[in-house]
Amino acid sequence: MITRLRHWWLAVSLLPLLFSSRHRALLAEMRSFCESLPITLKPSLIEGLRLIDPRRTRSDTKEFNEDTIRNFADLAALLDRRSPLGLCLRRSLTRYHFLLQADVPVVIRFGAKFVGGKPDREITGHAWLMLNDSPYHEEDENWRGFTVMMSYPQE
């Protein structure tokens, strides 16, 4: 319930910025990016990460501050409700791509853990960003307990 309220608050707090054509264009670019992720990642995660490398694309992301980029990336991931990819993966990949374009040196991590902490249960995964060896705007309960399976780029 609290997570859903946070999502609504994010959307409502960004509404005033959408009167700006620059911000609408940024959100449209991020939504298009999110919608393309399932196809981009289809060959493999590693190949998909290479394809979304921001050095391969051009964007005007640098004109926005880090918080704006992060918040709009989060909104774009939230709005892509039909995606077969989990919210954390969509959010992390969108943040990663656009924050790197703005010269924020984030690293994406992929982790796994047993549900309930017991090896006889299902395995769940999570994706999150790191900046300077610290989780980047990620609640502790979302990433603690996960074993890092991969970081990109390699640390």
Side-chain angles (χ1 to χ4, degrees):
M1 175 70 160
I2 291 188
T3 300
R4 194 170 305 279
L5 288 173
R6 268 195 221 134
H7 292 169
W8 275 102
W9 177 249
L10 173 67
V12 169
S13 68
L14 293 178
L15 279 176
L17 295 177
L18 293 177
F19 287 108
S20 156
S21 61
R22 290 179 26 246
H23 287 92
R24 283 194 309 273
L26 176 65
L27 181 60
E29 182 181 356
M30 288 179 170
R31 290 204 65 196
S32 176
F33 177 85
C34 274
E35 290 169 1
S36 72
L37 283 173
I39 294 166
T40 304
L41 297 175
K42 194 165 184 108
S44 75
L45 180 59
I46 294 291
E47 185 57 31
L49 289 167
R50 287 187 191 118
L51 290 172
I52 67 167
D53 186 324
R55 293 170 290 197
R56 297 174 55 106
T57 59
R58 191 172 185 288
S59 176
D60 295 326
T61 307
K62 287 184 182 183
E63 71 179 275
F64 298 99
N65 70 46
E66 182 180 326
D67 289 336
T68 299
I69 294 167
R70 185 187 72 253
N71 287 328
F72 272 87
D74 291 359
L75 181 60
L78 278 172
L79 293 174
D80 191 16
R81 307 288 296 173
R82 294 183 185 188
S83 176
L85 305 177
L87 176 59
C88 67
L89 183 58
R90 296 189 315 265
R91 181 183 65 225
S92 295
L93 290 172
T94 305
R95 283 178 171 186
Y96 170 79
H97 178 78
F98 288 93
L99 286 168
L100 276 182
Q101 285 182 340
D103 297 325
V104 180
V106 291
V107 172
I108 188 166
R109 285 199 175 160
F110 302 92
K113 73 176 179 179
F114 291 108
V115 175
K118 298 182 181 177
D120 63 339
R121 306 272 168 89
E122 294 179 20
I123 294 177
T124 187
H126 187 56
W128 68 98
L129 296 184
M130 301 291 287
L131 178 64
N132 301 323
D133 294 321
S134 296
Y136 179 79
H137 291 275
E138 186 78 23
E139 300 285 332
D140 284 351
E141 67 264 13
N142 289 344
W143 63 271
R144 286 210 189 273
F146 282 89
T147 299
V148 176
M149 307 301 282
M150 185 177 100
S151 292
Y152 189 86
Q154 298 293 322
E155 297 179 288

